[in-house]
């Protein structure tokens, strides 16, 4: 079940890595996941009890994309 975040909050949230890229809800594999995914580095940040945990130590590293050829 996807957590609903305030759209205004989502607009100002950014990845805590050096590039500070915007975040999107869900993951590429599961758009309804209770996660925020960085649009640049691909790290996934959990949402716990409705609160995004934007700590690099708590982030899931991006999965390698499948080999396209």
């Amino acid at each position: 079940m996807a957590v609903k975040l305030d759209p205004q909050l989502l607009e100002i949230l950014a990845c805590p890595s050096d590039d500070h890229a915007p975040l999107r809800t869900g993951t590429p594999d599961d758009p309804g996941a209770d996660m925020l995914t960085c649009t640049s580095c691909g790290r996934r940040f959990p949402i716990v009890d409705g609160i995004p945990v934007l700590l690099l130590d708590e982030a899931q590293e991006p999965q390698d994309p499948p080999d396209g050829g």
Side-chain angles (χ1 to χ4, degrees):
M1 174 188 244
V3 171
K4 295 283 187 181
L5 293 177
D6 184 324
Q8 291 178 335
L9 175 63
L10 194 54
E11 281 183 32
I12 62 172
L13 290 178
C15 180
S17 69
D18 292 336
D19 60 8
H20 305 296
L23 299 167
R24 67 173 177 256
T25 56
T27 67
D29 298 331
D30 184 3
D34 290 340
M35 306 283 280
L36 293 175
T37 301
C38 177
T39 57
S40 178
C41 69
R43 285 186 182 96
R44 299 171 183 184
F45 299 93
I47 299 173
V48 179
D49 295 328
I51 300 169
V53 181
L54 299 179
L55 300 171
L56 291 174
D57 290 343
E58 299 290 325
Q60 294 178 7
E61 292 298 319
Q63 297 176 349
D64 293 331
D67 187 6

